[in-house]
Amino acid sequence: MLGARRIVVKVGSSSLTTAAGGLDADRVDALVDVLAKTRDADTEILLVSSGAIAAGLAPLGLERRPRDLARQQAAASVGQGLLMARYTASFARYGLRAGQVLLTAEDASRREHYRNAFRTLEQLLVMGAVPVVNENDTVATAEIKFGDNDRLAAIVAHLVRADLLVLLSDVDGLYDGDPSKPGSRRIAEVRGPQDLAGVEIGSAGKAGVGTGGMVTKVDAARIATGAGIPVVLTAARFAADALSGRDTGTLFHRTGRRSADRLLWLEHASAPRGAVRLDPGAVRAVVERRTSLLAAGVTGVEGDFAAGDPVDLLDENGCIVARGLVNFDVRELPRLLGRSTPELARELGPAYEREVVHRDDLVVLPVPLGRA
């Protein structure tokens, strides 16, 4: 387990349900068997589980995942209860309690909600329960969804300071091509973007009950490994191998160090309230030299933000290069644009001597793995 004491395990819908869309009790029990046997006095397990919408399809007479949001939410409402009932009964075979935690992207994008989520998950672990986390699909709208539980799992892994993230799928790892085609090779290890050069990363699978695919898993791996958390991607049937440290699937090595919660939140979970445009010199200063953003390098502003809100930093072509917490509101900035800090201090007072975005509240946004 790579010396892991706290492990986040994410399982996809296709690994828990039948082709018709109902829960497969045997599959759920098989997963819980592995998790319960792994969990001991020295190892904590958190489960991020998809499957609510998929579990609600058959009971509602739906043959496949609906496209419209209202029926997706209805299926999630029915399916989430069935999913947790199954987990509760299955973990009870080992004398374990399962605790349901439903999150929306808004819970991650608001700092206070983010901290509350951490406290809840931490307390469940302290009290010996197994947290079962899912996106709250019954209320999430297209505008406030995580997009997929792979990304949610990566954020949860950082939130709880996990030592390992295991992504379980219906594919036994990342391949350098279509796994169904002859000649495709499983990639055993990924140490950085260079290992994915030329790799074809597929979209959602054929089961039709989930929303993810290899793209979301690789993006989740980028989030977690960039925060110092290794990731194992493998098939659900090899969960025991992944959790025991045996060679299976694809191991994504750490690419960065564990960052402050604020910066991980800022990069991957915050909801930008606007944007600030930078001139080329400011882009080089922020991206290459990692300095603070000063008013002299700002050429324009967009959106409706207040001091302290997250904003995207754009280059002259409108591409996002960084994100940060802005020190001025959108109404103040226009009169500061292009002016030096000493000039602003002399004319407007010492309150305007501060940076537009301080370097400690700024993250440079990297090119995603596999998309370089």
Side-chain angles (χ1 to χ4, degrees):
M1 289 184 292
L2 303 175
R5 178 182 174 274
R6 179 171 288 184
I7 305 172
V8 173
V9 177
K10 185 268 177 180
V11 63
S13 299
S14 59
S15 299
L16 299 173
T17 55
T18 65
L23 274 179
D24 188 324
D26 291 338
R27 288 186 174 190
V28 175
D29 287 348
L31 173 63
V32 169
D33 289 343
V34 174
L35 300 182
K37 291 172 183 176
T38 301
R39 183 188 176 281
D40 56 30
D42 298 319
T43 306
E44 297 171 328
I45 297 289
L46 298 92
L47 177 62
V48 176
S49 176
S50 300
I53 293 177
L57 298 182
L60 291 176
L62 299 170
E63 294 182 358
R64 59 181 59 85
R65 184 187 180 94
R67 293 180 180 273
D68 60 290
L69 183 61
R71 288 195 299 167
Q72 287 179 17
Q73 291 174 325
S77 178
V78 171
Q80 186 62 40
L82 296 172
L83 184 65
M84 277 309 301
R86 185 64 251 168
Y87 276 129
T88 298
S90 196
F91 277 112
R93 296 176 298 139
Y94 294 91
L96 296 174
R97 296 274 187 182
Q100 176 177 258
V101 179
L102 297 177
L103 300 174
T104 66
E106 189 175 21
D107 294 320
S109 66
R110 294 178 180 271
R111 288 298 310 282
E112 187 57 35
H113 292 200
Y114 191 79
R115 290 192 292 267
N116 286 342
F118 166 75
R119 286 192 287 265
T120 298
L121 292 167
E122 190 72 22
Q123 192 60 48
L124 283 169
L125 293 171
V126 167
M127 299 180 75
V130 179
V132 179
V133 184
N134 196 358
E135 180 159 15
N136 193 351
D137 289 308
T138 61
V139 298
T141 65
E143 290 75 21
I144 61 168
K145 286 178 70 67
F146 281 98
D148 188 83
N149 273 348
D150 295 312
R151 180 167 174 261
L152 171 60
I155 292 172
V156 168
H158 186 279
L159 177 66
V160 300
R161 302 175 177 88
D163 304 303
L164 177 66
L165 171 61
V166 176
L167 300 175
L168 300 178
S169 177
D170 50 2
V171 181
D172 65 340
L174 176 65
Y175 281 73
D176 60 4
D178 187 337
S180 65
K181 295 181 179 179
S184 294
R185 180 182 60 86
R186 177 173 62 89
I187 301 172
E189 296 182 84
V190 175
R191 297 183 179 275
Q194 68 280 359
D195 292 339
L196 296 178
V199 175
E200 297 179 15
I201 300 177
S203 57
K206 299 177 181 178
V209 294
T211 60
M214 202 52 66
V215 170
T216 65
K217 290 167 179 56
V218 172
D219 281 347
R222 176 180 64 83
I223 294 171
T225 57
I229 304 168
V231 177
V232 175
L233 166 62
T234 191
R237 64 183 183 277
F238 298 131
D241 291 335
L243 291 171
S244 64
R246 292 190 288 270
D247 181 26
T248 184
T250 301
L251 170 62
F252 293 82
H253 291 269
R254 301 177 183 90
T255 59
R257 297 181 179 180
R258 193 178 298 275
S259 60
D261 285 345
R262 182 183 74 263
L263 297 183
L264 187 284
W265 166 80
L266 183 60
E267 180 175 354
H268 298 293
S270 65
R273 303 301 174 89
V276 176
R277 289 186 174 272
L278 283 56
D279 65 26
V283 171
R284 288 193 295 273
V286 167
V287 174
E288 298 174 14
R289 300 200 300 273
R290 305 298 173 100
T291 63
S292 299
L293 174 63
L294 304 179
V298 178
T299 61
V301 296
E302 301 172 9
D304 184 15
F305 54 83
D309 282 344
V311 296
D312 285 333
L313 307 188
L314 311 180
D315 66 13
E316 62 272 26
N317 298 315
C319 297
I320 302 172
V321 297
R323 185 171 297 152
L325 301 179
V326 68
N327 285 323
F328 299 94
D329 67 40
V330 72
R331 289 170 293 280
E332 290 179 289
L333 274 175
R335 62 175 175 162
L336 312 182
L337 304 188
R339 303 174 67 181
S340 70
T341 302
E343 177 188 352
L344 292 172
R346 286 194 304 270
E347 182 177 331
L348 302 175
Y352 290 87
E353 201 168 4
R354 64 190 187 278
E355 305 85 351
V356 174
V357 178
H358 192 277
R359 64 184 180 184
D360 291 342
D361 294 323
L362 185 152
V363 290
V364 174
L365 301 183
V367 177
L369 286 176
R371 297 188 187 176

